[in-house]
């Protein structure tokens, strides 16, 4: 349903950090970008994955194999 090509590499990075529990501010610091840029990326991620929030994005990304759970 969702291929890895659906999300850009930056979007996959952001989803991975969301899965790790980081909030937008901490994601921005970790990636050296503005918090508003994180919000823009999340907006695009939500659209591409057809989800409404970061929890749904994280679950969808993991279940579809777009990103891998580091604990597995």
């Amino acid at each position: 349903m969702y291929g890895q090509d659906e999300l850009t590499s930056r979007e996959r990075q952001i989803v991975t950090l969301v899965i790790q529990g980081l909030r937008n501010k901490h994601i921005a610091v970790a990636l050296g970008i503005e918090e508003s840029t994180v919000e823009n990326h999340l907006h695009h991620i939500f659209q591409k994955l057809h989800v409404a929030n970061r929890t749904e994005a994280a679950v969808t990304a993991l279940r579809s194999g777009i990103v891998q759970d580091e604990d597995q």
Side-chain angles (χ1 to χ4, degrees):
M1 183 177 204
Y2 307 104
Q4 281 203 330
D5 294 336
E6 282 280 327
L7 300 182
T8 66
S9 61
R10 180 62 94 184
E11 290 167 346
R12 286 193 303 273
Q13 285 178 315
I14 289 173
V15 169
T16 299
L17 294 172
V18 167
I19 291 166
Q20 293 174 7
L22 273 67
R23 305 307 302 167
N24 293 358
K25 181 177 183 175
H26 297 112
I27 292 170
V29 170
L31 298 178
I33 59 178
E34 296 292 327
E35 189 173 353
S36 61
T37 304
V38 173
E39 292 167 3
N40 287 334
H41 283 300
L42 284 170
H43 174 76
H44 293 133
I45 291 165
F46 297 167
Q47 287 184 322
K48 290 178 179 182
L49 298 181
H50 308 286
V51 298
N53 58 54
R54 58 197 300 123
T55 302
E56 289 178 2
V59 170
T60 300
L62 285 169
R63 286 186 178 164
S64 65
I66 292 171
V67 297
Q68 301 298 315
D69 186 354
E70 298 295 320
D71 292 336
Q72 292 184 359

